[in-house]
Amino acid sequence: MEKRILGLDPGLAILGFGAITCTQSSTKVQHTTVNMLDFGIIRTSADAEMGQRLCTLFDDLHALIEELQPDLVAIEKLFFYRMSSTILVAQARGVLILVLGQRRLPYVEFTPAQIKQALTGYGNADKSEVQEAVARELDLDKIPKPDDAADALAVALTASYQM
């Protein structure tokens, strides 16, 4: 049985995405194989007005979901560190949740600490440790770039561990 998981790292300027497939063996011993399907970013221009940027996210997310056909979406929960950027991310996140609702796609959310714990065994791991874990878990020769895409793959992997 194969399941596609789309991980999303929400942002207004850059929204990272990473898609994986999880295949469970049908033998008596439960074994799950995880493979990377795709990763990248959706970028909006800082020069565009806010409404246009949100429309870009809306349209590009619909196209991405149409292309990847995920069974589950995993989202990094909003992390509060600077009020101005938190509001922008919250607006982008609202568009993301709207698209998922329109598509009737189930989703799960994880805090940054939950993602770090799942991938490294340590909830306060630094970004490089998480990125190395992503490359290792997906048997990649190098860490996916940009960082937003690697973060999205980390979110998708975290969801796969919950299966």
Side-chain angles (χ1 to χ4, degrees), residues 10 23-24 29 50 57-58 63 70-71 82 88 91 101 109 140 150:
T23 308
Q24 288 187 325
V29 177
M50 177 60 72
L57 289 177
F58 180 86
D71 300 300
R82 288 191 318 248
L88 296 176
Q91 290 172 324
E109 298 178 280
L140 305 174

Side-chain angles (χ1 to χ4, degrees), residues 34-93:
V34 179
N35 292 299
M36 186 184 64
L37 185 60
D38 194 9
F39 68 90
I41 59 170
I42 296 172
R43 185 183 304 270
T44 67
S45 172
D47 297 334
E49 67 170 12
M50 177 60 72
Q52 186 55 50
R53 294 176 84 179
L54 295 174
C55 283
T56 297
L57 289 177
F58 180 86
D59 293 340
D60 288 359
L61 279 168
H62 270 293
L64 184 67
I65 289 168
E66 186 67 34
E67 177 186 336
L68 296 174
Q69 296 291 306
D71 300 300
L72 176 69
V73 178
I75 307 167
E76 183 172 347
K77 279 188 180 176
L78 198 53
F79 177 71
F80 298 93
Y81 60 98
R82 288 191 318 248
M83 186 52 97
S84 62
S85 62
T86 300
I87 291 170
L88 296 176
V89 173
Q91 290 172 324
R93 200 170 175 287

Side-chain angles (χ1 to χ4, degrees), residues 74-79 93 108-125 130 151 154-162:
I75 307 167
E76 183 172 347
K77 279 188 180 176
L78 198 53
F79 177 71
R93 200 170 175 287
V108 293
E109 298 178 280
F110 302 102
T111 65
Q114 288 174 309
I115 296 163
K116 292 173 182 181
Q117 178 72 37
L119 268 74
T120 69
Y122 179 59
N124 287 323
V130 173
D151 293 347
V155 179
L157 283 168
T158 302
S160 77
Y161 300 153
Q162 307 294 315

Side-chain angles (χ1 to χ4, degrees), residues 115-137:
I115 296 163
K116 292 173 182 181
Q117 178 72 37
L119 268 74
T120 69
Y122 179 59
N124 287 323
D126 64 34
K127 193 174 220 36
S128 65
E129 291 174 295
V130 173
Q131 291 174 344
E132 288 169 13
V134 167
R136 182 179 59 253
E137 290 295 312

